[in-house]
Amino acid sequence: MAPPFEPHTASALLSSRLNPLQNPNPLNPVFVGAHSRIRRGTRNGGSRYNVLCTAMSPRNMSSSRYAILGAGFAGLSVAWHLLKHTHKGSHVCVDIFDDHGIGGGASGVAGGLLHPYSPKAKLLWKGAEFWKECLELLAVAEQANSVQRVKESTDCVDGGIVLRRGILRPATRQKSVDILMENASSCLESCILETLDEKAAQSLIPGLCAPFDLAIYMPGAMSIQPKRYLQALFSACQNLANDQSKSTGKEIIINLHTQHVSNLQQLSGEYDSVIVCLGARVNTLPELLGKLPLRTCRGIVSELHLPTASRGEYADQSPSILSDAWLAFQGPRQVYMGSTWDWNSENYDQNVSKEECAEATEELISRASIFYPEIRRWSLVGAKAGLRAMPPLTENGSVPLLGCLNDLIGDRTNCMFWLVGGLGARGLLYHGLVGKLTSQAAISCDESVIPFEFIDWKKRMPCIVS
């Protein structure tokens, strides 16, 4: 991976490489800065505004410049889709800004358990689309990871990104048994659900306890190594940029800047679009502080090892476990356990004190031991924390927040600002589709390509000018 640019080189790079404003061409305007609004009806009889660019759209421009704030799931998904879908006849510059580096926020601490279902085994709203787009990005990252390992002549077992061993969800309450069984009858063919009694579940996971003789098994679900995945996805972006540069003869570049962006106006004169993918750190931007319907929730994830002297290794093909706590097994003697829920926290630090680590681990073990008593024999190695941005609950569930931010922040410059936020605890599942939709909106300068359910939050915000 190419080393990130130093902070002081970012502006110089942009000015010297891809800034047609330095050499104005009246036949090829970048943006005229004016926006028009079209009011459209919604299903519930309300209205929404779609933001359109009145100048030539970026797909017809000789160059397109994008800034992405955040190098987590959302940010790297947007980057990939911008590179993939921007017009092939254009010079393209995609700059990612994250002073914490790739996976330095909540994405890097995620448990990585991937499936498209709710805790009651119901297919999530747009679950099939989320699942499909996520699997496509995983395939892209795995391919890039394989290429990198061949280049480095690396054949280590720990180099993989995805563990395809399924996930098991035991019922821990009597009232949820009938609901789980009913929902399990309607599932995706690409991620089927099977109902198992306790004996059948124990054949998959020796030592498992299913107190109500029911467990839902998702054989197609998987566990992801979040940081490895994010590093591989960034490598895939670099590879795509290089391949497109060679095939089109146009300069296609992607950069990672470990540079702090303190406000959006820093970037408005340099880019056509700025896409904010900062998760809970969105509140560090003064233009958006207190303007988004998000709550923060800090979660602690503990890492446990089974001591070498202890018997009872976790079987290589046994699934991970998901219930009131989750156990994401990484090998026969390594597991990640999570997660705690500390609402309205303002602590962005991934590091956890010894006292907090011990307290959180004991809380998680007390939950996990209900369905897997053997976990009490495992030893604590350490813990990390992530601060998630949680969206409001809607009739469709917890839906991420997407859309154009110019009206919200009162910006009338020649730059368009976009949001990908509120992915909550399902950022891994959501990131593929929301990144694709937002990149399409940014490329076309048209918010209407995003389904209205993702933008519905805006009409309830009094600070947005209608």
Side-chain angles (χ1 to χ4, degrees):
M1 180 184 300
F5 288 92
E6 293 300 321
H8 67 275
T9 66
S11 296
L13 172 80
L14 295 169
S15 298
S16 63
R17 287 196 174 186
L18 289 175
N19 192 349
L21 291 177
Q22 286 189 330
N23 298 292
N25 180 355
L27 298 179
N28 183 29
V30 179
F31 274 85
V32 297
H35 296 146
S36 63
R37 298 181 185 84
I38 297 177
R39 186 183 291 272
R40 298 192 179 187
T42 60
R43 296 178 194 173
N44 60 7
S47 63
R48 60 178 272 213
Y49 284 100
N50 298 312
V51 181
L52 303 173
C53 178
T54 60
M56 298 169 65
S57 73
R59 69 181 65 184
N60 295 322
M61 294 179 187
S62 63
S63 67
S64 301
R65 297 161 300 142
Y66 303 101
I68 299 170
L69 306 188
F73 292 138
L76 292 183
S77 174
V78 171
W80 168 262
H81 286 292
L82 284 174
L83 293 169
K84 184 177 180 181
H85 297 294
T86 298
H87 188 262
K88 299 303 184 289
S90 301
H91 296 288
V92 180
C93 175
V94 176
D95 284 309
I96 304 174
F97 293 87
D98 197 315
D99 52 338
H100 296 279
I102 294 175
S107 294
V109 186
L113 298 181
L114 180 61
H115 63 90
Y117 299 102
S118 76
K120 296 180 180 180
K122 183 179 180 180
L123 183 65
L124 295 168
W125 175 76
K126 287 192 177 292
E129 294 178 66
F130 285 128
W131 180 247
K132 173 180 175 293
E133 295 295 337
C134 184
L135 293 186
E136 289 185 5
L137 278 189
L138 286 177
V140 165
E142 285 193 293
Q143 174 63 26
N145 189 57
S146 297
V147 170
Q148 188 66 28
R149 290 169 67 185
V150 169
K151 287 180 179 178
E152 298 174 354
S153 300
T154 302
D155 208 17
C156 63
V157 176
D158 291 336
I161 295 172
V162 183
L163 297 176
R164 292 177 171 82
R165 56 170 65 181
I167 295 174
L168 192 76
R169 179 187 288 279
T172 55
R173 297 176 183 81
Q174 179 62 56
K175 65 180 182 180
S176 65
V177 170
D178 292 339
I179 297 174
L180 288 170
M181 293 189 67
E182 180 181 354
N183 289 337
S185 63
S186 301
C187 59
L188 291 178
E189 291 185 6
S190 57
C191 189
I192 64 171
L193 300 179
E194 300 176 6
T195 56
L196 307 178
D197 60 19
E198 185 175 54
K199 184 177 180 179
Q202 289 173 344
S203 69
L204 291 174
I205 306 175
L208 182 84
C209 179
F212 298 99
D213 201 30
L214 174 70
I216 301 297
Y217 178 41
M218 299 174 268
M222 56 195 76
S223 300
I224 312 300
Q225 299 269 10
K227 282 213 170 183
R228 288 181 193 166
Y229 165 64
L230 291 169
Q231 292 284 352
L233 185 55
F234 182 69
S235 294
C237 290
Q238 291 178 308
N239 296 340
L240 179 60
N242 291 335
D243 291 344
Q244 288 186 344
S245 293
K246 292 175 182 178
S247 64
T248 65
K250 302 292 184 179
E251 190 173 30
I252 314 294
I253 58 176
I254 179 169
N255 303 305
L256 173 65
H257 304 285
T258 53
Q259 174 181 353
H260 178 65
V261 176
S262 59
N263 63 79
L264 294 175
Q265 297 308 314
Q266 283 180 250
L267 306 173
S268 62
E270 298 284 351
Y271 296 94
D272 301 319
S273 285
V274 175
I275 301 99
V276 180
C277 307
L278 288 173
R281 285 186 289 153
V282 72
N283 285 324
T284 63
L285 296 173
E287 296 94 338
L288 296 175
L289 178 61
K291 292 184 178 181
L292 299 174
L294 296 171
R295 287 197 297 167
T296 57
C297 183
R298 186 168 185 259
I300 295 176
V301 175
S302 300
E303 181 182 357
L304 306 178
H305 284 190
L306 183 65
T308 305
S310 299
R311 296 181 179 179
E313 291 185 344
Y314 203 80
D316 284 338
Q317 297 305 313
S318 290
S320 291
I321 310 174
L322 186 60
S323 189
D324 294 337
W326 48 259
L327 298 172
F329 288 91
Q330 306 300 309
R333 292 180 178 272
Q334 181 186 15
V335 64
Y336 291 111
M337 176 178 64
S339 163
T340 59
W341 295 77
D342 180 14
W343 287 97
N344 300 318
S345 172
E346 297 181 357
N347 187 350
Y348 297 92
D349 194 353
Q350 283 193 355
N351 297 315
V352 179
S353 67
K354 290 183 179 180
E355 294 76 12
E356 189 180 23
C357 175
E359 182 180 345
T361 300
E362 182 54 40
E363 175 190 337
L364 292 170
I365 285 179
S366 68
R367 290 193 232 155
S369 61
I370 295 173
F371 53 83
Y372 190 65
E374 294 291 309
I375 197 62
R376 291 197 174 275
R377 298 173 52 231
W378 294 57
S379 299
L380 174 65
V381 174
K384 291 287 186 181
L387 191 65
R388 300 177 290 247
M390 310 297 291
L393 187 64
T394 72
E395 60 182 9
N396 297 308
S398 299
V399 178
L401 311 184
L402 309 182
C404 183
L405 293 171
N406 287 60
D407 282 342
L408 182 65
I409 64 179
D411 187 273
R412 293 295 181 270
T413 66
N414 60 355
C415 179
M416 294 190 71
F417 296 90
W418 302 88
L419 173 70
V420 182
L423 274 64
R426 296 194 176 101
L428 179 58
L429 175 68
Y430 289 160
H431 80 298
L433 180 59
V434 298
K436 182 177 183 179
L437 291 171
T438 301
S439 69
Q440 291 172 342
I443 291 167
S444 63
C445 300
D446 186 358
E447 189 183 60
S448 69
V449 303
I450 302 174
F452 81 91
E453 292 92 344
F454 291 108
I455 310 174
D456 198 44
W457 63 273
K458 294 176 68 175
K459 73 180 183 182
R460 294 191 293 272
M461 302 303 293
C463 49
I464 296 180
V465 179
S466 298

